Amino acid sequence: MAEPGTGGPLDGVLVADFSRILAGPYATMLLADMGADVIKVEGPAGDDTRTWTPPERDGEATYYLGINRGKRSIALDLRDPGDLAAARELARRADVVIENLRPGGMARFGLDYEAVVADNPGVVYASISGFGSGAGAHVPGYDLMVQAMSGLMSLTGDPDGPPYRAGISVFDVMAGNHAAIGVLAALRHRDRTGAGQHVEVNLLSSALTGLVNHSSAWVAGGTVPYRMGNAHPSVFPYEPMPTADDDLIVAAGNDAQFRKLCGVLEVPALADDPRFARNADRTVNREELRPLLVERLATKGAVEWFELLTAAGVPSGPIQTIDGGFAMAERFGLDPVVTVGEGDRAVPTTRHPVRFSATPAVYRLPPPRLDEHGADLRKWLDS
């Protein structure tokens, strides 16, 4: 019982989603938004995030709701021979299989890549783990562990304070994005050759590439970065600064933007001061420059400066809570919230981040209740 066509760019692609928690479900939600038919396979107790409350909406965890739209749910106990047969049949029919059990976990059920590809040579099989399928396969993979072990926490927080985790599970989300990218590339390869392949993503590798300039500082420069609070190691000003009321992000990333900043602040001579004329000079002399900028910023509030600096082409922004972020997106016409489902099943959710001119994202199904589509899917898999 495949879903009817969606018109999305992945229309006709069947995804068997054996993943749980965040990285895998986030990847499969993105694929569902792009038109794929995603079947979410859950154990009898359901995805762990169904119980991760508060907060909740009508008794359902908002964590779960935020990463599972567009899918159909079937609950299968892989220890039950009948349910296992259904799971294997689903994998045989799927264009894409995604799983994030500990490496080797799917082999216990004959659902690992080698077993699935034997019956489904064109399958794109994506595995997401914490530390890869080699020497790190035995280590459980949780985002907080990877934030610690990758070095991110050593970079986050005040210079004299303790290390901090990021406010979200940043590497789970990053790995989910990388998994989606890998799946799309593998589907392109299959379209050309007819051959599927195994796509492997791990949180630590996603973390190390995601640390970008800090990774390069070590790999290419032999420098171990350190915590600088909200400051940037290579650019100044590029941090929050106090105004007459609230802090404001000021991000003058090049010399031209700094000159415009000085013009708006009515201190144009600073742009010609040899201590501050080039970014390298400003970075070295940041402790001399900062109080001069703060003195001027203290004459107006953050929102007023934001308007003035934006008009002049200087990157800046007020520091807001999440509700303010959504309000700003509304102001900019980004329509950040869409509703999926109808009636008492209608759920507001965050819009897919990619806009397609010809094949827009689709929002067909609300996050499914546990085994909501199980009966129909079992009949289809038995046929």
Side-chain angles (χ1 to χ4, degrees):
M1 189 197 76
E3 278 283 274
T6 65
L10 295 182
D11 188 4
V13 173
L14 175 63
V15 178
D17 180 8
F18 290 90
S19 69
R20 61 192 186 91
I21 314 278
L22 178 51
Y26 183 74
T28 56
M29 181 182 72
L30 296 180
L31 299 177
D33 289 347
M34 292 186 282
D37 178 13
V38 177
I39 298 176
K40 182 177 179 67
V41 180
E42 303 183 72
D47 192 310
D48 292 9
T49 59
R50 290 182 180 275
T51 66
W52 285 9
T53 59
E56 60 184 52
R57 178 186 176 88
D58 298 331
E60 294 186 279
T62 59
Y63 197 124
Y64 169 80
L65 295 177
I67 49 176
N68 283 289
R69 65 174 176 244
K71 308 173 187 181
R72 295 184 286 165
S73 170
I74 182 171
L76 297 175
D77 183 349
L78 299 184
R79 296 165 298 184
D80 177 86
D83 282 3
L84 180 57
R88 289 174 174 169
E89 178 62 17
L90 175 61
R92 188 188 69 80
R93 298 186 188 191
D95 298 290
V96 178
V97 172
I98 296 186
E99 58 89 13
N100 63 353
L101 271 68
R102 191 181 299 187
M106 294 291 276
R108 303 198 314 268
F109 307 107
L111 287 167
D112 54 306
Y113 173 67
E114 288 74 14
V116 172
V117 76
D119 288 329
N120 185 357
V123 71
V124 172
Y125 190 110
S127 297
I128 305 172
S129 64
F131 302 96
S133 58
H138 67 290
V139 183
Y142 284 83
D143 182 273
L144 180 58
M145 295 167 56
V146 178
Q147 289 197 32
M149 297 165 73
S150 67
L152 174 66
M153 289 180 64
S154 76
L155 302 169
T156 308
D158 292 328
D160 299 323
Y164 277 96
R165 68 179 288 269
I168 65 165
S169 296
V170 60
F171 295 138
D172 268 331
V173 173
M174 195 175 291
N177 274 305
H178 290 160
I181 292 169
V183 164
L184 296 176
L187 286 172
R188 168 64 175 150
H189 173 78
R190 192 186 70 174
D191 287 345
R192 289 191 296 109
T193 68
Q197 61 183 298
H198 194 187
V199 175
E200 294 190 75
V201 175
N202 70 82
L203 270 65
L204 183 57
S205 293
S206 288
L208 295 180
T209 190
L211 290 171
V212 286
N213 56 303
H214 294 297
S215 292
S216 185
W218 166 245
V219 173
T223 298
V224 177
Y226 54 88
R227 283 194 299 283
M228 298 181 65
N230 288 314
H232 194 289
S234 308
V235 182
F236 186 85
Y238 196 93
E239 61 187 58
M241 292 189 167
T243 70
D245 46 26
D246 301 315
D247 283 359
L248 177 74
I249 296 294
V250 178
N254 58 49
D255 297 341
Q257 290 174 348
F258 180 68
R259 182 170 293 278
K260 292 176 182 178
L261 170 65
C262 294
V264 175
L265 297 182
E266 299 180 350
V267 283
L270 290 181
D272 296 314
D273 189 313
R275 297 173 297 170
F276 314 133
R278 299 178 307 141
N279 176 68
D281 303 320
R282 294 190 294 277
T283 303
V284 170
N285 298 306
R286 68 175 73 208
E287 297 307 322
E288 297 174 60
L289 177 55
R290 183 184 288 106
L292 301 177
L293 299 177
V294 169
E295 180 181 8
R296 294 300 305 151
L297 288 167
T299 62
K300 293 180 175 65
V303 173
E304 187 175 359
W305 280 124
F306 169 63
E307 301 290 353
L308 292 170
L309 291 171
T310 298
V314 179
S316 68
I319 299 173
Q320 305 179 130
T321 50
I322 286 177
D323 56 329
F326 275 88
M328 189 70 77
E330 289 283 4
R331 171 183 170 181
F332 294 152
L334 300 179
D335 301 324
V337 178
V338 294
T339 298
V340 58
E342 299 178 349
D344 62 358
R345 295 298 305 281
V347 177
T349 185
T350 307
R351 180 180 293 278
H352 186 86
V354 180
R355 298 208 177 207
F356 298 89
S357 63
T359 54
V362 292
Y363 308 96
R364 294 169 295 151
L365 300 171
R369 293 175 177 141
L370 179 60
D371 203 39
E372 179 175 347
H373 309 91
D376 289 339
L377 287 169
R378 286 181 179 87
K379 290 179 183 177
W380 174 63
L381 292 169
D382 284 340
S383 63

